[in-house]
Amino acid sequence: MITTNIQRHGTVLVSVTGALDGDAGAVLQRALDGVTTGERDLMVDLHGAISMDADGLLHLLALHRRAEGLGLRVMVVGWQPQPQQFMADVAGIRGRGSATGERYAVAGFRRLIEERAQRARDLSDFGAGWLSGV
């Protein structure tokens, strides 16, 4: 479960606390409700995000896509070790502390991450379904 603190001052600042997982979607999408033409940027602060799974990563990417559709420039800051390492693992980037946060802003990298996160989620769902049928 996550909580968000949303501030608006020309920039929509969303501070995330907790786990970015399957429950994060609705909370993150509400962050963009009521965006006005005076707001130009979305900054997502992950300093308080202790963990992330494939669902959480997909929700973060969906937020990014929606923000861009509203004409907002998106920045994600404060990557913590587990979310950053998870994204690096999904992307197939080796090395501890790889700079996935900096690469996140590149559209091609986001597409790659989205495809691989969806695949990881599908495999996880398949495994859970298979195990429950045993």
Side-chain angles (χ1 to χ4, degrees):
M1 180 173 160
I2 69 166
T3 59
T4 58
N5 177 19
I6 302 166
Q7 301 174 21
R8 301 183 192 295
H9 305 285
T11 296
V12 178
L13 172 62
V14 179
S15 299
V16 177
T17 304
L20 275 165
D21 56 20
D23 296 331
V27 175
L28 288 177
Q29 291 304 312
R30 279 194 304 270
L32 295 179
D33 291 350
V35 167
T36 67
T37 56
E39 292 156 338
R40 297 198 171 134
D41 300 309
L42 168 65
M43 180 178 288
V44 181
D45 180 357
L46 297 179
H47 280 98
I50 55 171
S51 65
M52 180 171 65
D53 64 12
D55 288 330
L57 179 54
L58 288 167
H59 290 314
L60 188 61
L61 292 164
L63 175 69
H64 193 149
R65 193 172 38 257
R66 182 171 173 222
E68 286 183 332
L70 292 169
L72 299 174
R73 183 178 63 152
V74 180
M75 297 163 282
V76 181
V77 299
W79 288 96
Q80 295 304 298
Q82 190 279 334
Q84 184 168 359
Q85 188 60 54
F86 178 78
M87 191 162 65
D89 292 345
V90 167
I93 299 170
R94 293 181 178 216
R96 190 164 159 75
S98 56
T100 53
E102 289 77 19
R103 294 179 184 162
Y104 178 85
V106 179
F109 184 70
R110 282 195 324 268
R111 244 187 329 275
L112 168 79
I113 292 296
E114 191 168 43
E115 290 167 7
R116 290 186 178 177
Q118 185 63 52
R119 216 171 332 163
R121 179 181 179 206
D122 292 345
L123 287 173
S124 174
D125 289 347
F126 174 76
W130 183 79
L131 287 175
S132 67
V134 173

